[in-house]
Each structure stands twice: as C-alpha cells, then as structure tokens.
Amino acid sequence: MRVGVLTGGGDCPGLNAVIRAVVRKGETGYGDELVGFEDGWRGLLEDRRSVLDVERCRGILPRGGTILGTSRTNPYRVEGGPEAVHATWERAGLDALIAIGGEDTLGVANRLAAEGLQIVGVPKTIDNDLSATEVTFGFHTAVQIATDAIDRLHTTAESHDRVIVCEVMGRHAGWIATYAGIAGGAAEILVPEEPFDIEEVCAHLRARHAKGRYASVVVVAEGAKPKEGSLAVRSGELDAFGHERLGGIGNVLAEEIERRTGMESRVTILGHVQRGGTPTAFDRVLATRFGVAAIDAVHDGAFGMMVALRADQIVRAPLAEAVAALKTVDPGLVHEVAEVFWG
Ligand code: F6P
C-alpha cells in the first residue's frame, strides 16, 4: 500500500517515535511505500511530500519535535481547502493516511474520513485532553519537565520565603497542572475546569505561611480563569482553529497574591520548554505501540478510527468519539488528592 503520514498541531515529544514505528512496520512488515507530508494538513493542501523510509528514520527515536514539521493549518478554513486535499491524495496515489495529532488535527481527519478518505488517527498532545484514550503520548514527558521545574522552584522559594507561581500549558484542561502539581507538592493547583476564587487562594497561602517560614509554589494552567468579575485578565488573538493564544494568568496571579497578602511573589512561565526535547521512556514506548498499531489498523481497513490506550491495551476507537468532547480532569483527583496538601 502507499500510505501517507502527517503530524499536525503543536509538536510533542514522541512524534518521531510514532513515525519511526509506522515506517519500520509498514516497510519491513507489509512492504508499504510511505509518504511523509510536511507541516501537517498544509502539506496536503500544498502537495509537499517526500519519501519516508527506514533509512530516514535512523536515530530519531529519542529526538523531540517532528522530522515532518507541523502546523495548525485547517483545510476547512481555507477557500477550496478540502478539494485541494482530495486532489493531492489522487496525485500522490495514496491508499491511506495516518494523521498524528490532537483534537484539531483529528477533527479534520474525522471530516475527511466522512468524505471517503481512508484515514487512521494517532492521538498526540502534551495536554492529554483527547477523549477515547486514557492517555496521549507527550503528556508524561511534559509532566516530568514541569515536575522537575517545580522541584527547582521550591528550593529558591524556600531560600527567599516567597510564593512562586508556576504557569504550565493546558488551555481547556488542567492535566499537566494537576499531575505536576501533585508530583511536585504544590501549595495550590488552579485548572481551567474550575474557576478559582483569588481570595480563597490568598487565604490558603496566608494560613500556610502563618505556620512559619513556609515557601509556596502555586501551579496554574494557562487556561485557568478567575470566578467571574473577581479578577481582570487579558485575552489573546485567535489561531486557525479559533483558539485564543494564552499566557498571562501566571503574571496576574503573582501580582495579585503579592498585592493582597503582602508576600513577595514571583512567576515562572514554563511555556514551550514543556513541549521540547527528548520524550521519556514511557512516551517512547507508548508512541511506538501507537505507531505499530496504526499501520496494522491501515492493513485491517479500520478507517475513520484512532488507536487508543485503555487498561494498558492498544485498542481502536472511532475518530468521531475522540473529538466529540474534551477529556477534562477528574474533579476527584483535585479535591480528594491534591487538595489534601493545600493551606
Ligand atoms: O499542544 C497544545 C498546547 O500545548 C496548548 O497547551 C497550548 O496552549 C498551545 O499548545 C500553544 O501552542 P502554540 O504556541 O504552538 O500555538
């Protein structure tokens, strides 16, 4: 078979491990010809492709980023976009396509699959907010990076008796904030799922610091919002999928905590550090399992499906199910576990 591969959306540690696994099993296991499309859906829009073979994939397993490049291009937001994708498909002589991406990339995959294109999805995002799979590759790496940062912030916060606000990624779901916050012993974790009350946060911090010299690290997801009317935050521009460009809640929080409590506060915004660099062993293994399962799914004709992890088994789930609703943080994890350590 002639099988296309693309990586779309924000990059994520483990993308190269998926590509490598698809190519290895496709080429040596099935005798496939693999075609790499550049920069996500833009590569299909503009017909930019190249040969993907085992040789090209040598040494990429531990490398972050993606050798195919990525973008947030949405063909459905481009005049004549879907038609251009279909035309490229014909010209390239594709039998199938493996789309590796998150909610947006797989949302496009789902629509194109409904139009008859033979597509299999692989779930990717450091945010871990994709439904139908218990975990996405990249999440574990991002949590480890954020946890290492929180550990470092603790020692400097302790030395200066400060509050340090650590802003992590997660625009609609607070998975990274919750996991890294628990792993790093955060004094407070603020997530997009539950608007926070700034006075309550300050009360917890005051209580904690009243016990003596007691530094605090507050972990906030970039998409966390204050309860309506309680605190002003600026809004950003929108991308091709209509998502607001975030970043800024950490600064607002640190300033407000210092103003309301008188405790010296600082902010660290981890940003793209969480997405760059080498994947953890867990993510390398998961990405490899997903890649092998994706090319198997192509040969089983399981189109319109996504590979997924459930109870440590790789299964197949409809793309439509994966993109129907975001997977948000279990409130029990925040209230019954994380909160035990606040205040
Ligand atoms: O990949 C998802 C994500 O990590 C979000 O958490 C974040 O809001 C977004 O990417 C930022 O991506 P970019 O700066 O590439 O637009």
XYZ file of all heavy atoms in Angstrom, residues 9-12 72 124-127 129 168-173 176 222 239 243-247 271-272 275, ligand 1:
226
model
N -0.744 20.153 14.423
C -0.963 20.813 15.722
C 0.357 21.121 16.414
O 1.428 21.058 15.799
N 0.288 21.421 17.697
C 1.510 21.707 18.448
C 2.401 20.486 18.477
O 1.909 19.357 18.559
N 3.701 20.671 18.386
C 4.570 19.486 18.398
C 4.554 18.865 19.797
O 3.971 19.428 20.733
C 5.995 19.819 17.925
C 6.769 20.589 18.958
O 6.141 21.331 19.745
O 8.005 20.467 19.002
N 5.202 17.714 19.923
C 5.001 16.935 21.138
C 6.076 15.845 21.202
O 6.329 15.185 20.178
C 3.606 16.333 21.024
S 3.135 15.134 22.229
N -0.643 24.468 12.383
C -2.037 24.438 12.832
C -2.981 24.761 11.677
O -4.066 25.296 11.879
C -2.238 25.418 13.986
C -1.480 25.034 15.252
C -1.955 25.858 16.433
N -1.142 25.630 17.622
C -1.313 24.631 18.460
N -2.265 23.746 18.243
N -0.532 24.510 19.506
N -2.178 12.477 19.865
C -0.997 13.196 20.360
C -1.415 14.458 21.077
O -2.305 15.151 20.591
C -0.129 13.571 19.153
C 0.861 14.638 19.402
C 0.651 15.975 18.652
C -0.578 16.753 18.916
N -0.473 18.221 18.664
N -0.913 14.742 22.210
C -0.958 16.080 22.807
C -0.358 16.023 24.202
O -0.656 15.102 24.974
C -2.371 16.696 22.898
O -2.300 17.837 23.764
C -3.426 15.770 23.443
N 0.470 17.013 24.490
C 1.001 17.067 25.857
C -0.134 17.377 26.836
O -0.024 17.099 28.013
C 2.133 18.118 26.022
C 1.636 19.543 25.770
C 3.317 17.787 25.134
C 2.572 20.614 26.304
N -1.224 17.948 26.328
C -2.320 18.379 27.209
C -3.162 17.211 27.735
O -3.913 17.389 28.691
C -3.242 19.347 26.466
C -2.542 20.640 26.092
O -1.538 20.975 26.736
O -2.988 21.302 25.140
N -5.837 15.960 26.673
C -7.265 16.287 26.750
C -8.104 15.651 25.636
O -9.214 16.082 25.372
C -7.465 17.815 26.765
C -6.857 18.499 25.550
O -6.316 17.796 24.676
O -6.920 19.738 25.478
N 1.792 26.513 33.698
C 2.050 25.391 32.784
C 1.014 25.413 31.662
O 0.032 26.148 31.724
C 2.003 24.020 33.525
C 3.066 23.955 34.601
C 0.618 23.751 34.108
N 1.234 24.599 30.612
C 0.289 24.567 29.490
C -0.993 23.827 29.878
O -1.032 23.075 30.851
C 0.933 23.950 28.262
C 1.834 24.945 27.526
S 2.437 24.280 25.974
C 3.169 25.757 25.261
N -1.987 24.018 29.059
C -3.300 23.407 29.290
C -4.352 24.477 29.128
O -4.642 25.194 30.079
N -4.858 24.611 27.892
C -5.793 25.718 27.674
C -7.214 25.406 28.126
O -7.904 26.279 28.636
C -5.770 26.187 26.227
C -6.104 25.143 25.222
C -6.231 25.741 23.846
N -5.055 25.528 23.022
C -4.681 26.337 22.035
N -5.371 27.403 21.791
N -3.636 26.060 21.309
N -7.655 24.148 27.933
C -9.023 23.799 28.340
C -9.046 22.774 29.456
O -10.081 22.546 30.065
C -9.799 23.214 27.158
C -9.876 24.137 26.000
N -10.450 25.381 26.091
C -9.445 24.007 24.720
C -10.367 25.982 24.910
N -9.759 25.171 24.075
N -7.914 22.086 29.661
C -7.867 21.021 30.666
C -6.585 21.148 31.481
O -5.542 21.501 30.958
C -7.925 19.661 29.978
N -1.803 18.677 33.007
C -0.382 18.876 33.349
C -0.295 19.543 34.720
O 0.494 19.133 35.574
C 0.344 19.735 32.283
C 0.319 19.038 30.933
C 1.782 20.027 32.716
C 0.928 19.866 29.792
N -2.424 27.454 32.061
C -2.556 28.713 31.312
C -4.014 29.100 31.047
O -4.326 30.277 30.884
C -1.810 28.613 29.981
C -2.370 27.509 29.094
C -1.628 27.330 27.776
O -0.920 28.249 27.356
O -1.779 26.249 27.182
N -6.197 31.513 16.776
C -5.487 30.800 15.710
C -6.504 30.232 14.699
O -7.700 30.501 14.805
C -4.556 29.710 16.279
C -5.310 28.548 16.905
O -6.528 28.416 16.660
O -4.684 27.755 17.625
N -8.759 29.049 18.522
C -8.307 29.019 19.910
C -7.576 30.308 20.260
O -6.749 30.783 19.494
C -7.324 27.869 20.156
C -7.924 26.526 19.926
N -9.080 26.131 20.524
C -7.523 25.502 19.146
C -9.371 24.902 20.119
N -8.447 24.500 19.280
N -7.839 30.795 21.454
C -7.172 32.002 21.932
C -5.711 31.704 22.245
O -5.405 30.635 22.778
C -7.877 32.415 23.223
C -7.672 33.835 23.633
C -8.408 34.090 24.946
O -9.555 33.623 25.087
O -7.822 34.733 25.807
N -4.810 32.620 21.864
C -3.404 32.437 22.255
C -3.285 32.878 23.705
O -3.510 34.047 24.034
C -2.505 33.280 21.346
C -1.081 32.829 21.366
C -0.387 33.177 20.064
N -0.867 32.379 18.947
C -0.864 32.789 17.678
N -0.417 33.965 17.370
N -1.305 31.991 16.725
N -2.927 31.942 24.575
C -2.966 32.218 26.012
C -1.604 32.607 26.577
O -0.636 32.750 25.867
C -3.480 30.977 26.751
C -4.908 30.559 26.396
C -5.212 29.197 26.983
C -5.914 31.581 26.873
N -1.538 32.721 27.843
C -0.288 33.102 28.513
C -0.536 34.417 29.206
O -0.909 35.399 28.575
N 5.978 27.464 29.521
C 5.794 27.586 28.069
C 6.280 26.380 27.276
O 6.090 25.224 27.667
N 6.954 26.657 26.178
C 7.286 25.593 25.218
C 8.396 24.665 25.670
O 8.650 23.644 25.008
C 7.589 26.211 23.858
C 6.390 26.912 23.287
N 6.016 28.170 23.686
C 5.447 26.496 22.408
C 4.898 28.511 23.055
N 4.540 27.511 22.282
N 7.210 21.260 25.787
C 6.958 20.521 24.546
C 8.231 20.078 23.853
O 8.179 19.248 22.944
C 6.172 21.415 23.589
C 4.726 21.320 23.790
C 3.828 21.846 22.737
N 4.301 22.552 21.608
C 3.606 23.538 21.018
N 2.450 23.902 21.518
N 4.055 24.122 19.950
O -0.249 21.489 22.081
C -1.222 22.136 22.854
C -0.610 23.296 23.522
O 0.482 22.799 24.167
C -1.511 24.078 24.483
O -1.445 23.666 25.805
C -1.004 25.489 24.305
O -1.999 26.414 24.626
C -0.667 25.528 22.883
O -0.206 24.240 22.558
C 0.336 26.580 22.481
O 0.848 26.272 21.231
P 1.469 27.275 20.186
O 2.270 28.275 20.963
O 2.295 26.413 19.327
O 0.343 27.912 19.447
